[in-house]
Amino acid sequence: MEQRFRRRLQRPLPTRQPRRRFLILCEGKVTEPGYFTELRVELRSRLVDIEVLPECGVPKTLVEHAVERKKEAERQARRARDPFLKYDEVWCVFDVDSHPNLPEAKQQARDNGLNVAISNPNFELWILLHFQDQFAEHDRREITRLCKLHLPRYEKEVPYMTLRPLYADAVRRAEHLQTLQAQRGTPGGNPSTGVYRLTESIQMALR
């Protein structure tokens, strides 16, 4: 009896496997949240927890909401003495468009340790890069039109499984655009997208 009791004492306690928590707040209510929701469904990983919030408003409002969500998660973690309740990464996903207060939104995100995935002119550029290079500057309507050349039925819902096999090409093209814009002295200029930084961060969490 005493030996069995000692063995139980010596048995290692179960440990909770760490998970990286991602909070993704999206400007739109269909395209962006639909894409990231499908990504979450595909991963189904116990190592990553992804929460997607749609239609959070213009960039400034979106960032303010993200700041509050991050702080609330930190408060909950302190109250429960559970660091796993905090978000490891908070991302704000929005387009350049003609939004007011865009520089202020970006600065507020930096000041509060948030990440931004900005597409210029719009999220559809990220979709288009799965199929082709895009170096010329275009407005959002033209980028959407070019998307429909590859996806004739595309409206707002992203055909995620059609894009998935082309993901590596999209990342390569997006990185190349980022390099080109930096060389031109116009980081974040049209065309460019930071969505790949978010998706690659999620992929890194699985390695």
Side-chain angles (χ1 to χ4, degrees):
M1 176 71 72
E2 183 178 354
Q3 288 180 346
R4 285 200 301 271
F5 179 69
R6 286 178 178 174
R7 281 198 297 269
R8 284 200 298 271
L9 286 179
Q10 294 169 356
R11 195 174 299 160
L13 295 174
T15 57
R16 183 173 173 183
Q17 189 175 25
R19 300 173 58 147
R20 290 193 63 79
R21 295 192 71 198
F22 286 75
L23 176 64
I24 303 173
L25 297 92
C26 302
E27 172 189 2
K29 64 179 180 179
V30 178
T31 307
E32 299 95 322
Y35 176 85
F36 291 110
T37 297
E38 288 295 315
L39 172 61
R40 179 181 61 193
V41 171
E42 183 203 11
L43 293 178
R44 294 184 180 179
S45 172
R46 295 183 179 181
L47 299 177
V48 177
D49 180 22
I50 303 174
E51 182 179 352
V52 182
L53 299 183
E55 201 174 13
C56 295
V58 297
K60 188 71 164 61
T61 303
L62 189 155
V63 170
E64 290 171 351
H65 188 45
V67 170
E68 183 52 40
R69 284 297 300 266
K70 181 184 178 185
K71 290 181 177 178
E72 177 57 30
E74 291 170 349
R75 288 193 290 267
Q76 291 178 1
R78 285 195 298 269
R79 285 196 296 266
R81 296 182 180 179
D82 185 353
F84 295 107
L85 294 178
K86 293 190 295 185
Y87 293 109
D88 293 287
E89 296 186 30
V90 179
W91 286 81
C92 299
V93 180
F94 52 86
D95 300 341
V96 168
D97 208 352
S98 56
H99 289 304
N101 304 319
L102 186 61
E104 291 88 342
K106 292 164 66 176
Q107 185 61 52
Q108 186 177 8
R110 285 193 293 268
D111 291 344
N112 287 276
L114 308 182
N115 301 284
V116 293
I118 305 174
S119 296
N120 189 356
N122 57 352
F123 187 84
E124 276 74 9
L125 174 63
W126 169 243
I127 298 175
L128 181 62
L129 292 178
H130 286 73
F131 300 97
Q132 66 173 65
D133 287 304
Q134 180 58 45
F135 301 116
E137 178 177 344
H138 285 307
D139 63 21
R140 61 189 305 113
R141 291 181 182 177
E142 179 63 11
I143 293 296
T144 301
R145 186 191 72 80
L146 292 172
C147 279
K148 289 185 177 182
L149 295 180
H150 302 281
L151 301 168
R153 296 183 181 180
Y154 173 74
E155 288 301 328
K156 282 292 184 182
E157 294 185 4
V158 178
Y160 178 83
M161 295 312 295
T162 301
L163 300 181
R164 188 65 185 90
L166 306 170
Y167 172 76
D169 291 332
V171 171
R172 175 180 55 78
R173 290 171 177 139
E175 287 179 330
H176 187 44
L177 276 180
Q178 183 184 47
T179 300
L180 286 177
Q181 294 293 3
Q183 291 173 346
R184 295 170 182 168
T186 55
N190 184 337
S192 65
T193 178
V195 173
Y196 78 94
R197 295 176 50 245
L198 168 51
T199 57
E200 284 293 276
S201 186
I202 294 172
Q203 295 291 337
M204 285 294 295
L206 295 173
R207 294 171 187 166

